[in-house]
Amino acid sequence: MSVFLYPDEYLDSTYHINFKKLYQEGYRGIIFDIDNTLVPHGAPADERAVLLFQKLDELGFSCMLLSNNKEPRVKMFNDAVNAAYIHKAGKPKPSGYRRAMEQLGTNESNTVFVGDQIFTDVCGANLAGIRTILVKPIHPKEEIQIILKRIPEKIILLCYHIHVKIFGLKYPSVRIQEK
């Protein structure tokens, strides 16, 4: 199994990430997935999401929403959190992540991606060379194609946990640069 599917970190929630520490480590850009990363699938931005983006702005982060959804969905969410966004991003292709970094004025060394899916979010961010934080989905209600992907994701996460436990590595993923 290729470790490019492994996240750098796996956390319970986006809202448990220590963003202040990330800023102190030199990260300046954060790219987020929306559905089941920030809010339940299809939900509008809630107060918790709005407060998070205000906090990130106060810390000095530039933020971007990167979604495979159509523009009305992404714009509706973005109108509440006031970040930059790219819709129909084509994840896991790394080009969307690179476009996001270009718009943010960041690069691979100072950008973090936060998402809830391995085969789109983590894979694409790893291919683009960015640090990845995988979070548990907020809500079990998802589209059928995502539900089906969750089965092999469980196997990958089991391997990830074994890899981390055996080798004691905190960030076991491998960065693959596309030429």
Side-chain angles (χ1 to χ4, degrees), residues 52-71:
L52 173 64
F53 279 83
Q54 288 173 354
K55 175 186 169 187
L56 294 172
D57 184 56
E58 290 168 9
L59 285 171
F61 281 107
S62 297
C63 295
M64 170 77 65
L65 304 172
L66 187 69
S67 176
N68 284 346
N69 281 305
K70 294 178 182 172
E71 187 168 24

Side-chain angles (χ1 to χ4, degrees), residues 26 29 32 39 47 50 56 60 64 71-72 75 97 99 103 114 122 139 141 145 150 157 165 167-168 172:
F32 289 98
V39 293
E47 183 179 353
V50 171
L56 294 172
M64 170 77 65
E71 187 168 24
K75 185 177 182 329
Y97 298 83
R99 192 168 136 218
Q103 289 182 23
V114 180
V122 171
H139 194 275
K141 180 185 172 244
Q145 72 271 16
R150 295 291 184 196
L157 285 171
K165 186 170 180 101
F167 297 107

Side-chain angles (χ1 to χ4, degrees), residues 74-90:
V74 181
K75 185 177 182 329
M76 172 190 69
F77 188 90
N78 186 63
D79 286 346
V81 300
N82 197 30
Y85 70 88
I86 296 174
H87 66 285
K88 293 175 72 175

Side-chain angles (χ1 to χ4, degrees), residues 4-178:
F4 76 91
L5 294 174
Y6 287 176
D8 289 312
E9 289 182 83
Y10 181 45
L11 301 173
D12 286 338
S13 169
T14 298
Y15 301 97
H16 294 167
I17 297 170
N18 186 340
F19 291 105
K20 186 175 182 180
K21 182 178 178 200
L22 288 173
Y23 194 85
Q24 290 169 345
E25 291 173 356
Y27 292 95
R28 295 299 180 260
I30 305 174
I31 304 171
F32 289 98
D33 176 51
I34 300 171
D35 288 327
N36 258 341
T37 298
L38 293 164
V39 293
H41 187 81
D46 56 17
E47 183 179 353
R48 183 167 69 161
V50 171
L51 290 173
L52 173 64
F53 279 83
Q54 288 173 354
K55 175 186 169 187
L56 294 172
D57 184 56
E58 290 168 9
L59 285 171
F61 281 107
S62 297
C63 295
M64 170 77 65
L65 304 172
L66 187 69
S67 176
N68 284 346
N69 281 305
K70 294 178 182 172
E71 187 168 24
R73 163 65 180 135
V74 181
K75 185 177 182 329
M76 172 190 69
F77 188 90
N78 186 63
D79 286 346
V81 300
N82 197 30
Y85 70 88
I86 296 174
H87 66 285
K88 293 175 72 175
K91 295 183 292 184
K93 290 189 264 180
S95 57
Y97 298 83
R98 291 193 181 110
R99 192 168 136 218
M101 287 186 285
E102 184 178 310
Q103 289 182 23
L104 289 172
T106 61
N107 59 48
E108 295 87 350
S109 67
N110 64 3
T111 305
V112 176
F113 183 86
V114 180
D116 70 299
Q117 292 186 56
I118 289 175
F119 295 111
T120 51
D121 299 330
V122 171
C123 178
N126 281 341
L127 289 171
I130 342 180
R131 180 172 172 180
T132 56
I133 300 175
L134 178 69
V135 295
K136 293 179 182 174
I138 289 176
H139 194 275
K141 180 185 172 244
E142 297 180 299
E143 295 174 342
I144 188 66
Q145 72 271 16
I146 296 171
I147 292 169
L148 294 174
K149 286 192 275 185
R150 295 291 184 196
I151 297 165
E153 278 188 358
K154 287 179 183 176
I155 296 166
I156 292 166
L157 285 171
L158 175 64
C159 293
Y160 167 81
H161 289 299
I162 291 169
H163 188 121
V164 170
K165 186 170 180 101
I166 290 173
F167 297 107
L169 301 175
K170 186 172 182 183
Y171 305 117
S173 71
V174 173
R175 299 284 175 241
I176 301 170
Q177 293 295 320
E178 182 184 82

